Every structure is written in structure tokens, then in C-alpha cells.
Amino acid sequence: MGYYENSFYGLLTVCAGLLASQPTRRDELKKATETRKPATRDDRHPEMYWYQVYALVMGADWIQGPYLYSLYRDEHGLSSRTVSTLFATGFLAGAASAYFAGALADKHGRKSVCMVFCLLYATSCFLAVVPVLPVLFLGRVLGGVGTSILFSVFDSWMVTNFRALRLVDRGCDLSRTYATTSIVNSLSAIAGGLLSQGLVRVTGTYKAPFVLSAGLLWWALQLIWGHWVENFGTTASDSDPETAEKRSVWSTLKQPSILALGFASTMFEGSTYLFVFLWTPTLKSVQKTVGEELPYGIIFSSFMASWTAAALAFNIVMQKRPFRYSRLLIGILLAASFCFAKLAGPETEDAAFWLFCLFEACVGMYWPCVGYLKGHLVPDDVRAEVYGLLRVPLNVFVVLALFFVAGDGDGDDSSRHYAKVFSTCSMLLTASFGAVWAASMKESMP
């Protein structure tokens, strides 16, 4: 068994230990027995369908993700420049549609828009397998719109549903919900990667994962239709709904805490996208045994295990609220900045690997932490719209970064180029840490 395999199984052991120590809803119900009526023994977990749907939609995303470039480049025979343009089109479509997707969800129902996402994303999967350039561009547009909905409207539905049903009275905790959601995401990534790899090996085509992805989205659509309750943003009872909503959206976005969170989200999530593009060539550039193929599947699984372990640790640590979530976010941003600063000049293959694992651990804590902060700071009335608007600068950042990263050379030139990218990310993450710190000093943040 090689070094990477041993590391992966070691990380899995850490995950198993943390999983055994997890706080649960039943624990909370036992503590609350004296003050409120506990749930009956046959009471089904009130967030079960949220986790099921989220596992399916994220699984659908992870299954197709690793093979999108290969499908375009190797199976459809497109040039690298055309593939880059297709990717950029998806992100630009996401930026252009972010505001409108959120506004529609708040006005006409978030459950309905989540169902529309399933249809749009499934359609984009089918269009991706058609080797006709205009059809491929249309598929990327639909995929970009779908991604905006996935990362704004689903979250909005969950938080509003949590509060509307008063799930805290049933032993649930929003912080724990976000951490479990992050764990579900990482496990979906591992399962999706293994499934897609097996499908490609069996069928001999990169198209197979996209067909399976569409099937998972159809399954998610059925669960949403049958088990989710509709919720809205701005109510129809407002005297002037359009004016009230607009005033509320922009007044929310002007808050220092929201501006700081938006900036931090753009820098951190943008750096995560760059990590996806750069971890493979970075490890190859410091590889001990030249010419030997790295076990990319095991390495990727190790990253996801690091993510899972961090999310599990988040659950345990934040159960007692030893410090504010804004302080934890500051620590996460500093740790991520450290990772990228060191990755600008990694000395060994082992060092690069563990720095990437540390960054993935930051990702595992980042998602529940920033989700909880936004859940408390953004009003339910305009939640989806604000979440969508906060993704606009991220999409623009990724488009610019894509063209910057695509400009790399070969050999030493490539390594120097990657070093500049990592150094830039480190500086931007440090700036975002400063923004969150300043905002937390100016006004009260959870």
C-alpha cells in the first residue's frame, strides 16, 4: 500500500472517530425534556427530505463535473480555447441570472424554482452530449443558470423552512444542519467520483455520467414535488411589494457585515475554483518519481475526507459555541491564506499534498460557518435575491481567473505562473480576513 493510500485510510479513521462523537438531534431532545415536549419515538427526522434532495442534486453535479472538460476536448474534439469559452459562458450566464433567479424565487416560491433547477440542469446534461457547438453553448447557459439557483435558492428554502416549522423546538440546530449539509456534499463528491469513473470504464464514453446525472435530478424533482413545503420571500400583503423589496434588498447589501461576507465568499470560493484547476499540475511539478502516474482518485478522495473531517469537527466544536462564528470565519480565511502562501513554493510532494488537504479542511468548515452567518444576517423576505446577488462577483472573478490560469506555459514557466496565482489568492484571502474583522468590530456579528 502506497503513501497516498495510507494517508487516505488514516483520514478515514479520523472521520470515523469524529463521527462517533457527533452531537445528535436525540441528544438535544433529551436535554430539552424538562422544558418542552419531546418528539415521539417514531418521529421522522424533520430535515430528512432536505438531506436526500441535497445529496441527489450535489451528486448530480459531482458526477458530471470531472468529465465535462474531457467530454468537450477528447470526445467532441473541441479546441482548448473553445472549451475555455464554453466554461466562461456558463459562469457569465450564472452571473447574469443570479439576481433574477433569486427575485423569482422570493416572489413566486423557492420550492417551484428548485424544481425548475432540476429541469434546467437535466436539460443541460442532455445538451452536453450533443456534439453541435450552438447546442453546447446553450447547455452551458442553462448549466450556469442552474448553478446560480443551486447555490442560492436551495439554501434560502432550507433556512426559511427551518424557521417556519420551528425546528429548533424539535431538537434541530441551524449550525448542525449546515455542517451536516457540508458532510452530505463531501460524501456526494466521493460517491459521485467513484460512480462516474466506473460508468466511464464500463461504457467507454464520457457521456454516461451526464445521463446518470439527469436521472438523479429527476429523482430529486420527485422528492421536492412530493415532500417540500413552498415558502416565499416578500409577502403579498406589503402595501407596495416591489418598492418594499427593493429597499430591503439594497439596505441589506449595504450592511458592513453583508459586504464583508460577500467579499470573503468571492475570494474564498474563487480560490476554491482555482484549487480545482491547479492541484493536479502542482503535485506533478513536485512529484518524487518522474514519469509515474499519480493516484488521482485516491488523492481526490483524501481531499474530500479532509473536508468531511473538518465539517464533523465543526459540529462538535460549535455545539457549545465557544466563540463567535465570525471569529471562526476569520481563522478559516487565515488558514486558507497560509495554505496558498506555502503552495506558491512547495518544496516537496508530501508538503503540497498536506497543504491541499489543509485547504480542503478549511472548505469543510467554511461552508457551514458562512452558511450560518448568512442565515442569521440576511432577512427571510429577500434571502434568495440577496444570496443570488452575492454570487455575481464570484462568477466574474472565476471568468477572469479562468483566462488568467489558461495563460500558463510549460515547465519552469508553468511553475512560476502557478506560484503567482497562489500568491495572489493568499493576498486576496488576507484582505478578506481584514474585511470580516473590520465588519465584526463595527457591528455585532454572530
Side-chain angles (χ1 to χ4, degrees):
M1 192 180 297
Y3 177 78
Y4 287 113
E5 286 81 1
N6 286 327
S7 299
F8 173 59
Y9 290 121
L11 288 166
L12 284 184
T13 302
V14 173
C15 289
L18 291 169
L19 181 61
S21 306
Q22 287 296 290
T24 65
R25 173 173 168 261
R26 289 188 178 276
D27 295 335
E28 291 300 308
L29 287 171
K30 287 178 182 177
K31 292 178 185 177
T33 300
E34 297 179 359
T35 57
R36 62 173 75 101
K37 183 181 177 180
T40 56
R41 291 183 62 86
D42 61 344
D43 185 32
R44 185 176 291 178
H45 195 295
E47 295 177 297
M48 181 183 67
Y49 290 115
W50 160 252
Y51 294 130
Q52 288 181 359
V53 168
Y54 196 78
L56 289 171
V57 296
M58 293 310 301
D61 192 43
W62 285 110
I63 282 172
Q64 58 169 300
Y67 291 100
L68 187 57
Y69 181 90
S70 299
L71 177 67
Y72 288 157
R73 189 78 175 90
D74 301 330
E75 198 151 328
H76 293 340
L78 302 177
S79 67
S80 296
R81 182 178 294 276
T82 302
V83 173
S84 296
T85 305
L86 280 165
F87 276 104
T89 299
F91 286 112
L92 287 173
S97 63
Y99 170 78
F100 303 103
L104 284 171
D106 284 339
K107 288 180 180 177
H108 301 292
R110 290 149 183 173
K111 171 185 173 180
S112 300
V113 173
C114 288
M115 293 170 64
V116 170
F117 157 81
C118 294
L119 295 173
L120 288 177
Y121 220 50
T123 304
S124 76
C125 292
F126 287 125
L127 295 180
V129 304
V130 180
V132 178
L133 199 56
V135 175
L136 295 177
F137 272 104
L138 177 60
R140 291 315 307 147
V141 169
L142 295 181
V145 175
T147 301
S148 282
I149 296 173
L150 177 60
F151 289 102
S152 58
V153 181
F154 277 79
D155 240 23
S156 301
W157 180 89
M158 183 271 289
V159 176
T160 302
N161 184 70
F162 187 96
R163 290 179 176 161
L165 298 182
R166 297 184 179 180
L167 295 186
V168 70
D169 293 334
R170 299 171 67 181
C172 298
D173 180 274
L174 187 59
S175 176
R176 193 167 63 246
T177 297
Y178 268 115
T180 306
T181 300
S182 182
I183 294 164
V184 168
N185 191 5
S186 62
L187 294 177
S188 296
I190 296 172
L194 294 173
L195 261 176
S196 58
Q197 183 175 324
L199 270 175
V200 170
R201 184 179 294 129
V202 169
T203 62
T205 175
Y206 294 130
K207 297 176 181 178
F210 293 84
V211 177
L212 176 60
S213 180
L216 293 180
L217 290 164
W218 180 253
W219 186 2
L221 175 64
Q222 302 308 308
L223 288 177
I224 295 171
W225 174 269
H227 300 286
W228 281 22
V229 177
E230 186 64 276
N231 63 50
F232 302 86
T234 304
T235 61
S237 60
D238 293 331
S239 57
D240 187 355
E242 186 173 348
T243 303
E245 179 187 8
K246 191 171 183 179
R247 183 171 61 248
S248 180
V249 168
W250 297 114
S251 63
T252 299
L253 289 172
K254 288 177 183 177
Q255 295 174 15
S257 56
I258 298 298
L259 288 173
L261 276 180
F263 181 64
S265 296
T266 298
M267 297 303 106
F268 189 92
E269 294 171 37
S271 298
T272 303
Y273 277 108
L274 291 177
F275 157 83
V276 171
F277 287 107
L278 296 181
W279 73 264
T280 301
T282 300
L283 282 176
K284 287 179 71 174
S285 69
V286 291
Q287 188 176 356
K288 296 174 188 174
T289 310
V290 180
E292 186 175 305
E293 185 73 9
L294 288 168
Y296 294 116
I298 291 293
I299 293 172
F300 176 76
S301 296
S302 298
F303 295 160
M304 293 298 102
S306 301
W307 176 340
T308 304
L312 289 166
F314 175 92
N315 248 348
I316 296 170
V317 172
M318 297 310 290
Q319 176 72 7
K320 298 186 182 298
R321 308 290 199 272
F323 38 74
R324 289 188 288 168
Y325 287 83
S326 55
R327 292 289 183 262
L328 177 60
L329 179 59
I330 287 169
I332 292 168
L333 294 171
L334 280 176
S337 177
F338 168 81
C339 291
F340 279 104
K342 288 295 185 180
L343 284 167
E347 297 179 359
T348 65
E349 181 182 345
D350 294 350
F353 169 73
W354 286 110
L355 284 168
F356 282 131
C357 285
L358 178 57
F359 177 72
E360 279 297 319
C362 291
V363 175
M365 282 204 171
Y366 165 85
W367 284 113
C369 183
V370 80
Y372 182 88
L373 284 167
K374 289 193 295 186
H376 275 263
L377 292 170
V378 179
D380 281 337
D381 285 352
V382 291
R383 185 173 300 281
E385 194 168 350
V386 171
Y387 281 15
L389 284 169
L390 290 176
R391 287 192 60 81
V392 173
L394 170 63
N395 282 285
V396 174
F397 176 94
V398 174
V399 170
L400 295 175
L402 272 174
F403 286 109
F404 182 67
V405 172
D408 61 329
D410 298 315
D412 292 337
D413 288 341
S414 177
S415 297
R416 284 194 293 270
H417 182 77
Y418 298 150
K420 289 179 182 177
V421 173
F422 285 128
S423 296
T424 302
C425 286
S426 178
M427 290 187 288
L428 292 173
L429 287 165
T430 302
S432 65
F433 141 73
V436 175
W437 178 273
S440 68
M441 298 294 289
K442 187 171 182 180
E443 61 181 55
S444 178
M445 290 180 70

